[in-house]
Amino acid sequence: MAALAFSAAALPVPASAVPRGPRKPTVVIDAGHGGHDPGTIGFSGSHEKDVTLATARELYLQLQATGRYRTILTRRDDRFLGLGQRVDLARDVDGELFISLHADSIGRPDIRGASVYTLSEVASDAQAAALAQKENRADLLAGVNLAHQSREVSRILIDLMQRETKNRSAVFASGLLPELARHTTLISSSHRFAGFTVLTAPDIPSVLMEMGYLSNRHDEQLLLNPNHRSKVAQATVRAVGRYFAQKEFLRPL
């Protein structure tokens, strides 16, 4: 099956390159996989990396069209990025919400539906411990310099920050799922928890959206349909708007 076609000229100049006016929340959109990593191979041969990029570009355009956000893509074309690079990019641009787009696969072609993942407790604890062990801790947390703190104190502060970040991630996930349900089937227990590396930024609320199963013929056809991808993007834009409209989430972490 031919890969989805993209034109780099179709996207406006990245928001990071445009002089800032009034402060806007920064939303980072991460298209999973890319380059030599195709991700899941679909029922009819589609590649996850193409589906995620097409949806990411659509979501980018819709968020930019609102005029309310500074929107960043981790990748704008078919290139490979390491998982850590994606997190680092989100932190480098002072991301305030990170949305990683994926499409699932399973050995049973009858299974279909979308889900949203946030970071698990176990992964969060391990990440806090690893970060506290770093020799250079000056910029581990936004607005908090840990350079002169002991590892024990650093770990406590990182843990507190991560708990708040996880809570905010869960708030966004809980708002995103009902919006997605308006346009696509959700799997049972659709809010799930895992230790995905892209969810481990200690100070950026992050979700990983599995938009459906490419191993399911119906889900694959939907995800290859531009109209459906547009609806997924619309649902996500509504959820982003609701998230940032809550005043308590406008304060810096």
Side-chain angles (χ1 to χ4, degrees), residues 172-186:
F172 178 67
S174 67
L176 175 59
L177 285 165
E179 293 294 348
L180 290 173
R182 295 169 60 177
H183 304 293
T184 193
T185 299
L186 300 181

Side-chain angles (χ1 to χ4, degrees), residues 59-234:
L59 178 55
Y60 175 97
L61 291 172
Q62 290 196 25
L63 283 171
Q64 285 293 92
T66 69
R68 298 167 58 189
Y69 311 105
R70 175 177 175 244
T71 312
I72 307 293
L73 288 167
T74 58
R75 67 179 181 97
R76 297 166 59 84
D77 51 27
D78 185 19
R79 69 180 65 192
F80 176 79
L81 284 176
L83 299 177
Q85 288 179 285
R86 298 166 191 261
V87 177
D88 290 344
L89 185 153
R91 300 195 75 221
D92 287 346
V93 299
D94 298 323
E96 295 166 72
L97 183 63
F98 180 89
I99 304 170
S100 189
L101 301 174
H102 289 261
D104 217 335
S105 177
I106 196 170
R108 290 179 52 186
D110 58 310
I111 300 294
R112 61 178 298 238
S115 58
V116 176
Y117 284 82
T118 55
L119 190 65
S120 70
E121 289 286 348
V122 173
S124 178
D125 291 344
Q127 177 72 357
L131 287 172
Q133 293 296 318
K134 286 193 173 183
E135 293 302 321
N136 181 8
R137 299 194 294 273
D139 60 351
L140 287 182
L141 300 180
V144 181
N145 191 327
L146 303 179
H148 304 295
Q149 302 291 345
S150 69
R151 288 180 177 175
E152 181 179 356
V153 170
S154 293
R155 180 169 181 174
I156 291 170
L157 293 174
I158 291 167
D159 180 68
L160 289 172
M161 175 69 77
Q162 283 191 312
R163 288 182 185 279
E164 178 65 12
T165 299
K166 284 194 302 176
N167 288 340
R168 297 189 182 195
S169 300
V171 166
F172 178 67
S174 67
L176 175 59
L177 285 165
E179 293 294 348
L180 290 173
R182 295 169 60 177
H183 304 293
T184 193
T185 299
L186 300 181
I187 60 175
S188 60
S189 303
S190 50
H191 183 183
R192 301 190 166 198
F193 304 88
F196 295 120
T197 299
V198 292
L199 300 177
T200 57
D203 46 5
I204 306 175
S206 304
V207 301
L208 185 147
M209 186 198 311
E210 294 281 8
M211 299 178 289
Y213 284 83
L214 286 178
S215 52
N216 175 272
R217 183 193 299 269
H218 186 72
D219 270 5
E220 182 190 43
Q221 289 176 344
L222 284 176
L223 291 171
L224 293 176
N225 185 322
N227 290 332
H228 178 75
R229 294 196 302 268
S230 178
K231 291 177 181 178
V232 170
Q234 289 168 21

